[in-house]
C-alpha cells in the first residue's frame, strides 16, 4: 500500500510545485504533506516508506543530487511522522474534528511539527548549492508555511471524505454541486483575473467567507473542507499568475499574504463546521433527552402539571388527560382553579398556590380536583419552582398522586377498626358479666362444699359416737369404700381397708359369709333394701356383731 502512497505523493507534488513563488522546490501550498498526514493518521505510521520514496522521487525530479535528495526525503518524512504522532497524542478522540478543542490541537500540531522538515530541507538545498545561504531564512520560512498550509487544507479534506460514506437525497446532491460551483466561481472572480484590470488587486479576500458559512451550515466538515481546498488552490494559482488581492511586487510578500489567508480561511471554515456539528450533536442529544423525558412523564402514573404565575396551565401529561376526561388542547392555557378545583375550595387552593410560589419546594399538600364527569379525586401534591437564567420564578411544576383509593381504604380501615373496638368492648362486657356469674357460682359451690364437708364431719362424728360404720360398693367398677368408723370397728390399719367385695367378705365371720354373700348378690340382681345381722372378725381376732 505504501507504493500507492508514493505514487500519489508524487502526483500531488507535481500539482503543488506549480505554485512555487520563490524557489522551484518550495510550494506555497504543499498538498503532499496533507496527503501523507491523512494516510499515516488513518492507516498507521507503518506506511512511512511511501512518504520517503515519494519525496525522494520528487527531489530527483527537481534535479537535486541523490545524496541531498535522500537527506531531504528523510527530513520531510521525519517531519510528517512527527506531525502525525503529535496529532495523535494531542487529539482525544478518533477524529481531530469531533470537537473544536481537537481541531485547534490539529492546527497546532501542523504548525509546530512542520518546521522540522522545513529546516532540514532548507539546509539540504543550501548545502547542495541549489540556493545561496543568504536565502536560507526565506526558504525555510516559506517551506514551513507551505507544508503547514498543505496539511491544514489537504489533510481535513481527505480525512473527512475517507469516513463512512453517507446517502444523500437528490436535492442535497444538487445543492452540494451548486456549492462547489459557487466556490469555484468566487475563487475565479477573486483570484483568477476575471475582474477588470483596475480591480485585480482590490482587497476582496473576504468574499469567500459566505461560501464557507454556507458550506459549514448545510454540509458540515465535508462541505467546509471541500470549499476550503477549492478556494486555496485557486488563490495559490491566481497569486502565482499575478492576480488577486495577494499579488504584490515582492514574491516573498505575496507568498506570506497568501499563506496567511489560507491558514485563516482553513481555520475559520473548519472551526465553523465543527461548531455547527457540535451544536447539532448537542441539539440531537437534547432532543432525545426531551423525547425520553416526555415519554417518561406520559408513562408515569402521576399527574405532571406546569402552571404559570397566574395559575394557567402550560403543560399536562397523558395521565391527567385520562383521569380528567379532558384533551390536552382543551387544557392548555386554561385556568387551573376554575377548571379543576371544587368551588368551595378555590379560595383556599389559590392561597396555597400563592404560598407555594414563595417556597422553593412544597410537599405533601392534599386537595381535591373535579373531573369532567363531576367525580372528585383526592390528590397529594409535590411542587417545585422553575426559574429563568436570572433566577426569577417563571413557572411552578406540580406532581400529583391520586390518593382517592388510598383515602377510601383508610376510611374503610378506620371504620373496621371502630367496629373491632366495638366488638371488643361488647365481648369484654360479656366476659365481665360471665366472670361475675362464674365467680358467683364458684362462691356458691365453695359454700356447698364447705357445708358438705361440715356435714361429712358431723356424720363421721355421729358415726364415731354411735359406733356406726358405713360402706359403699360401686358394682360397675367393683370398688369398695369403707368409712373411718368401720375401719376402727374392724381394728384395721388405714392401708388395710377392704377395696373390693371379696376383701370385705373376708372380714365376715366364716359361718355368716355365705349368707352375706347371697344377700349382696340378690341386692345386685333385684335391688331394694335389706336388714341383716351378722358377725365381723377384726384384725385383732375379735368378733363384732353388726346389723345392716
Amino acid at each position: 500500500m505504501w507504493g500507492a502512497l508514493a505514487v500519489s505523493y508524487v502526483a500531488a507534488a507535481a500539482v503543488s510545485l506549480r505554485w512555487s513563488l520563490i524557489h522551484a522546490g518550495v510550494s506555497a501550498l504543499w498538498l503532499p504533506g496533507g496527503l501523507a498526514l491523512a494516510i499515516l493518521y488513518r492507516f498507521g505510521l507503518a506506511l512511512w516508506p511511501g512518504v520517503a520514496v515519494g519525496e525522494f522521487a520528487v527531489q530527483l525530479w527537481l534535479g537535486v543530487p541523490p545524496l541531498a535528495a535522500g537527506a531531504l526525503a528523510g527530513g520531510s518524512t521525519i517531519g510528517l511522522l512527527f506531525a502525525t504522532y503529535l496529532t495523535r497524542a494531542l487529539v482525544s478522540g478518533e477524529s481531530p474534528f469531533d470537537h473544536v478543542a481537537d481541531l485547534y490541537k490539529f492546527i497546532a500540531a501542523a504548525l509546530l511539527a512542520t518546521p522540522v522538515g522545513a529546516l532540514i530541507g532548507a539546509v539540504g538545498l543550501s548545502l547542495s548549492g541549489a540556493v545561496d545561504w543568504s536565502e536560507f531564512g526565506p526558504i525555510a520560512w516559506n517551506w514551513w508555511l507551505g507544508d503547514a498550509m498543505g496539511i491544514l487544507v489537504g489533510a481535513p479534506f481527505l480525512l473527512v471524505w475517507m469516513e463512512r460514506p453517507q446517502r444523500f437525497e437528490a436535492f442535497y446532491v444538487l445543492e452540494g454541486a451548486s456549492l462547489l460551483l459557487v466556490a469555484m466561481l468566487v475563487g475565479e472572480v477573486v483570484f483568477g483575473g476575471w475582474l477588470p484590470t483596475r480591480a485585480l488587486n482590490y482587497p476582496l479576500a473576504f468574499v469567500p467567507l459566505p461560501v464557507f458559512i454556507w458550506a459549514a451550515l448545510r454540509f458540515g466538515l465535508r462541505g467546509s473542507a471541500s470549499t476550503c481546498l477549492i478556494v486555496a488552490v485557486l488563490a495559490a494559482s491566481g497569486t502565482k499568475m499575478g492576480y488577486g488581492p495577494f499579488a504584490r511586487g515582492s514574491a516573498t510578500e505575496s507568498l506570506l499574504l497568501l499563506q496567511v489567508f489560507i491558514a485563516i480561511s482553513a481555520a475559520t471554515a473548519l472551526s465553523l463546521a465543527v461548531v455547527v456539528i457540535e451544536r447539532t450533536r448537542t441539539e440531537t442529544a437534547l432532543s432525545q433527552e426531551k423525547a425520553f423525558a416526555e415519554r417518561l412523564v406520559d408513562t408515569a402514573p402521576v399527574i405532571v402539571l406546569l402552571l404559570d404565575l397566574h395559575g394557567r396551565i402550560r403543560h399536562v401529561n397523558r395521565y391527567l388527560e385520562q383521569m380528567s376526561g379532558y384533551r390536552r388542547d382543551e387544557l392548555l392555557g386554561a385556568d387551573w382553579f376554575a377548571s379543576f378545583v371544587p368551588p368551595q375550595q378555590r379560595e383556599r387552593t389559590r392561597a396555597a398556590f400563592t404560598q407555594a410560589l414563595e417556597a422553593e419546594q412544597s410537599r405533601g399538600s392534599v386537595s381535591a380536583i373535579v373531573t369532567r364527569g363531576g367525580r372528585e379525586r383526592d390528590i397529594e401534591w409535590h411542587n417545585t419552582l422553575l426559574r429563568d437564567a436570572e433566577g426569577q420564578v417563571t413557572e411552578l411544576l406540580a406532581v400529583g398522586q391520586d390518593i382517592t383509593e388510598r383515602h377510601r381504604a383508610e376510611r374503610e380501615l378506620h371504620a373496621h377498626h371502630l367496629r373491632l373496638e366495638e366488638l371488643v368492648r361488647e365481648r369484654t362486657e360479656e366476659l365481665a358479666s360471665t366472670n361475675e356469674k362464674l365467680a358467683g357460682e364458684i362462691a356458691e359451690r365453695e359454700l356447698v362444699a364447705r357445708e358438705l364437708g361440715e356435714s361429712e364431719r358431723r356424720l363421721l362424728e355421729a358415726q364415731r359416737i354411735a359406733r356406726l360404720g358405713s360402706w359403699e360398693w360401686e358394682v360397675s367398677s367393683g370398688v369398695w369404700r369403707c368409712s373411718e368408723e368401720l375401719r376402727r370397728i374392724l381394728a384395721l390399719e388405714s392401708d388395710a381397708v377392704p377395696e373390693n367385695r371379696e376383701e370385705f367378705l373376708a372380714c365376715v365371720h366364716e359361718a355368716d359369709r355365705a349368707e352375706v354373700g347371697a344377700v349382696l348378690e340378690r341386692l345386685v340382681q333385684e335391688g331394694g333394701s335389706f336388714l341383716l345381722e351378722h358377725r365381723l372378725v377384726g384384725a385383732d381376732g375379735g368378733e363384732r356383731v353388726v346389723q345392716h
Side-chain angles (χ1 to χ4, degrees), residues 515-516 519 522-523 527-534 546-548:
E515 182 183 3
V516 172
V519 172
R522 187 172 61 253
L523 182 64
S529 61
F530 67 93
L531 180 63
L532 177 65
E533 185 175 296
H534 65 87
V546 295
Q547 186 180 48
H548 289 280

Side-chain angles (χ1 to χ4, degrees), residues 495-527:
D495 56 351
V497 176
E499 295 182 353
N500 51 52
R501 189 184 69 167
E502 286 71 17
E503 292 181 359
F504 174 74
L505 291 176
C507 296
V508 177
H509 193 278
E510 183 177 1
D512 302 332
R513 190 173 301 163
E515 182 183 3
V516 172
V519 172
L520 293 176
E521 186 65 27
R522 187 172 61 253
L523 182 64
V524 171
Q525 296 296 329
E526 300 177 1

Side-chain angles (χ1 to χ4, degrees), residues 454-515:
E454 183 64 22
S455 297
E456 289 181 351
R457 187 188 65 79
R458 290 175 181 176
L459 176 62
L460 292 176
E461 181 64 21
Q463 287 179 344
R464 186 184 65 79
I465 295 173
R467 295 190 60 83
L468 293 176
S470 63
W471 51 267
E472 295 179 9
W473 177 31
E474 292 183 3
V475 179
S476 60
S477 63
V479 176
W480 195 282
R481 297 185 184 89
C482 296
S483 67
E484 185 67 20
E485 186 59 27
L486 180 60
R487 183 185 67 79
R488 285 196 293 268
I489 291 172
L490 294 175
L492 297 174
E493 299 293 334
S494 60
D495 56 351
V497 176
E499 295 182 353
N500 51 52
R501 189 184 69 167
E502 286 71 17
E503 292 181 359
F504 174 74
L505 291 176
C507 296
V508 177
H509 193 278
E510 183 177 1
D512 302 332
R513 190 173 301 163
E515 182 183 3

Side-chain angles (χ1 to χ4, degrees), residues 442-455:
I442 292 174
E444 185 177 352
R445 290 183 180 181
E446 289 178 350
L447 177 60
V448 171
R450 286 195 299 271
E451 291 178 351
L452 181 60
E454 183 64 22
S455 297

Side-chain angles (χ1 to χ4, degrees), residues 194-309:
W194 286 18
L195 294 177
T197 305
R198 62 179 180 275
L200 291 182
N201 295 325
Y202 280 6
L204 302 177
F206 61 87
V207 175
L209 183 59
V211 179
F212 296 150
I213 297 175
W214 178 13
L217 294 178
R218 294 290 298 153
F219 299 95
L221 277 170
R222 289 181 174 175
S224 294
S226 300
T227 55
C228 186
L229 177 62
I230 291 173
V231 172
V233 168
L234 294 176
S237 299
T239 304
K240 171 69 175 181
M241 293 184 293
Y243 301 130
F246 307 126
R248 297 289 189 269
S250 170
T252 302
E253 182 182 358
S254 298
L255 181 61
L256 180 60
L257 292 175
L258 171 65
Q259 290 170 333
V260 170
F261 167 75
I262 293 175
I264 294 176
S265 298
T268 302
L270 294 175
S271 297
L272 183 59
V274 174
V275 168
V276 171
I277 290 174
E278 284 190 329
R279 179 177 179 180
T280 302
R281 188 186 301 129
T282 302
E283 290 177 350
T284 301
L286 290 176
S287 177
Q288 292 174 348
E289 291 182 2
K290 180 181 178 182
F292 173 77
E294 289 178 350
R295 289 195 298 270
L296 182 63
V297 167
D298 283 338
T299 305
V302 293
I303 297 173
V304 179
L305 175 68
L306 195 63
L307 300 178
D308 64 13
L309 301 183

Side-chain angles (χ1 to χ4, degrees), residues 154-214:
F157 175 80
L158 293 174
L159 286 173
V160 298
W161 281 103
M162 283 191 295
E163 293 179 356
R164 185 177 60 181
Q166 299 177 349
R167 299 181 62 181
F168 303 109
E169 298 180 358
F171 177 79
Y172 195 76
V173 174
L174 180 61
E175 184 183 0
S178 302
L179 171 66
L180 298 181
L181 179 61
V182 170
M184 288 187 286
L185 290 175
V186 170
E188 289 292 345
V189 169
V190 177
F191 304 105
W194 286 18
L195 294 177
T197 305
R198 62 179 180 275
L200 291 182
N201 295 325
Y202 280 6
L204 302 177
F206 61 87
V207 175
L209 183 59
V211 179
F212 296 150
I213 297 175
W214 178 13

Side-chain angles (χ1 to χ4, degrees), residues 67-143:
L67 184 60
L72 293 175
S76 295
T77 303
I78 292 173
L80 288 171
L81 287 173
F82 180 55
T84 305
Y85 171 79
L86 190 59
T87 302
R88 285 183 175 276
L90 294 177
V91 173
S92 58
E94 294 183 0
S95 172
F97 312 115
D98 286 339
H99 306 282
V100 175
D102 289 336
L103 172 63
Y104 291 158
K105 292 175 184 177
F106 166 76
I107 295 174
L111 295 175
L112 295 176
T114 47
V116 176
L119 290 175
I120 294 176
V123 171
L125 290 178
S126 299
L127 290 176
S128 65
V131 296
D132 190 80
W133 281 100
S134 61
E135 300 178 3
F136 174 82
I139 291 293
W141 176 266
N142 288 283
W143 192 316

